[in-house]
């Protein structure tokens, strides 16, 4: 199946941003940054968030630049996934506070969002009435 120019650009941007994301995390996990002073550790914390922002930007550009049907579908999918991810993450946060559930780091909202993005796709096909 042939891809649209928008899809090709999106895939290129995704590989670029996620490559940077993975690289920063590999360097951090390998312990390279363990001896850094606190200000530098804060900088690394924000640096790893930049490719996440870039990926979200790439998705929004794909929505903007796609034809009307694909753009509307992706926008519905993005909105549904955001709502489901926030609801699930909030529910777990309340379970941590009130029921003693194990802590889940805040950065897990990002992979949860993308998991939800895939799972809500069938529901994004039908426009809301």
């Amino acid at each position: 199946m042939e891809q649209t120019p928008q899809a090709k650009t999106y895939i290129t941007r995704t590989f670029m941003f996620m490559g940077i994301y993975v690289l920063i995390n590999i360097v951090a996990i390998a312990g390279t940054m363990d001896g850094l002073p606190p200000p530098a550790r804060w900088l690394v914390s924000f640096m790893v968030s930049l490719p996440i922002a870039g990926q979200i930007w790439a998705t929004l550009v794909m929505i903007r630049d796609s034809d009307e049907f694909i753009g509307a579908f992706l926008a519905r999918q993005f909105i549904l996934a955001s709502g489901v991810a926030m609801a699930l993450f909030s529910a777990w946060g309340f379970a941590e506070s009130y029921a003693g559930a194990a802590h889940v780091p805040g950065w897990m909202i990002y992979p949860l969002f993308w998991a939800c993005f895939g799972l809500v796709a069938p529901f994004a096909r039908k426009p809301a009435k």
Side-chain angles (χ1 to χ4, degrees):
M1 182 162 56
E2 189 175 332
Q3 293 179 340
T4 65
Q6 295 85 0
K8 289 178 185 177
T9 301
Y10 173 77
I11 290 168
T12 301
R13 288 175 176 159
T14 295
F15 275 104
M16 180 187 68
F17 287 124
M18 290 303 96
I20 294 167
Y21 175 81
V22 168
L23 182 64
I24 293 170
N25 279 296
I26 286 172
V27 169
I29 291 167
T32 306
M33 301 178 195
D34 289 349
L36 294 176
R41 294 173 78 93
W42 278 95
L43 181 63
V44 170
S45 298
F46 289 117
M47 282 175 44
V48 77
S49 298
L50 292 176
I52 292 172
Q55 176 59 40
I56 292 168
W57 169 80
T59 304
L60 294 174
V61 169
M62 168 109 170
I63 291 168
R64 182 195 68 200
D65 293 346
S66 294
D67 68 40
E68 191 174 297
F69 175 78
I70 296 297
F73 169 75
L74 290 172
R76 281 192 299 273
Q77 189 176 6
F78 195 91
I79 292 165
L80 285 170
S82 297
V84 170
M86 285 187 282
L88 290 173
F89 207 76
S90 295
W92 192 264
F94 287 121
E96 286 181 23
S97 295
Y98 303 139
H103 176 67
V104 174
W107 57 263
M108 286 298 294
I109 189 69
Y110 185 66
L112 177 62
F113 165 77
W114 286 110
C116 291
F117 191 81
L119 292 172
V120 303
F123 305 101
R125 290 187 183 273
K126 293 183 179 180
K129 291 184 179 183

